[in-house]
Amino acid sequence: MRHTPPAAPTLTPQVSGTTNGLIAVSPLNSRVVWAAGRAGTYTRTTDGGATWRAGVVPGAEGLQFRDVEAISAREAYLLSIGSGTDSRIYHTSDAGATWQLQFQNPIADVFYDCFAFWNRRSAVAMSDAVNGRFPILRTTNGSTWTDIGDKVVPALPGEAGFASSGTCIATHGRRHAWFVTGGATTARVIATTDGGEHWRAFDTPLRGSPSAGIFSVAFRDR
């Protein structure tokens, strides 16, 4: 029996509504997709990409959004990167007409890389380590973000994440999460099975260095 190879995917260019570089994307379904990127820019489609409507978050014109989480056609979260106060989390519930600044990092050396959601109100955000500690954030109500870094295993010297379009952390189900690191001599996966109450670290054979390690993580199931 002759095996027929799968057909190559068809790629269709779409007009994003912005000339600013887009870095992160979050598809909710085949019709609703949010994307975000440089210069405080976000864009969304509700018709499968036939049309996109872009905007800039007020007060975030100088920021890079490296992660976006689509909740619905009207609701989304954005995470910007950078040291100190440039690391922020914004939320909209009216399709971007208004944005609420939910979190602005107050610590100069902290740099948030990515976030992931268990559901529309529960999420976790990952930062590079500072002084041997990961200042991980968690929300359980979709509005207040709390530092739970004391629950996380200690960091290795130089250990950090990579803001790779928001793919350095993943969640599954109601309580599983994994974030991945580099920067240190050992690249690790750090995981929780109870919604962030406890974390375990697992060494990997991937090389680590100040510019190497694990950039992305994804799981099909638990």
Side-chain angles (χ1 to χ4, degrees):
M1 184 175 181
R2 178 175 295 179
H3 173 68
T4 302
T10 300
L11 302 179
T12 304
Q14 298 180 351
V15 179
S16 67
T18 179
T19 58
N20 292 325
L22 297 173
I23 301 171
V25 62
S26 180
L28 184 69
N29 51 46
S30 63
R31 297 184 61 81
V32 177
V33 183
W34 291 73
R38 294 182 174 88
T41 300
Y42 67 92
T43 187
R44 73 180 183 111
T45 180
T46 59
D47 55 14
T51 58
W52 291 80
R53 178 168 293 184
V56 174
V57 176
E61 295 85 354
L63 301 179
Q64 284 192 33
F65 290 125
R66 289 288 185 92
D67 207 349
V68 55
E69 181 76 15
I71 303 298
S72 71
R74 296 181 59 80
E75 185 176 10
Y77 293 82
L78 299 172
L79 181 143
S80 65
I81 64 158
S83 298
T85 57
D86 283 354
S87 280
R88 305 178 192 178
I89 296 173
Y90 289 89
H91 171 258
T92 184
S93 57
D94 55 14
T98 60
W99 290 89
Q100 295 77 45
L101 177 59
Q102 290 191 339
F103 172 80
Q104 185 169 13
N105 169 47
I107 304 171
D109 293 333
V110 171
F111 186 111
Y112 284 92
D113 298 288
C114 48
F115 60 2
F117 283 64
W118 285 291
N119 55 54
R120 65 187 302 143
R121 294 293 176 259
S122 298
V124 61
M126 182 260 184
S127 165
D128 297 346
V130 177
N131 296 324
R133 180 181 182 273
F134 287 106
I136 302 299
L137 296 176
R138 182 176 63 182
T139 183
T140 57
N141 60 12
S143 60
T144 304
W145 296 80
T146 303
D147 186 322
I148 60 167
D150 290 343
K151 300 178 183 293
V152 184
V153 296
L156 302 174
E159 196 167 18
F162 297 97
S164 303
S165 302
T167 61
C168 62
I169 191 168
T171 54
H172 178 74
R174 295 181 178 180
R175 300 177 71 80
H176 284 72
W178 304 262
F179 69 84
V180 291
T181 72
T185 55
T186 301
R188 300 197 295 175
V189 177
I190 300 176
T192 180
T193 60
D194 59 8
E197 288 300 309
H198 302 87
W199 297 81
R200 295 179 61 195
F202 301 89
D203 294 350
T204 77
L206 292 165
R207 181 176 66 89
S209 76
S211 59
I214 308 176
F215 284 64
S216 298
V217 59
F219 277 76
R220 183 181 299 274
D221 56 39
R222 63 181 296 173

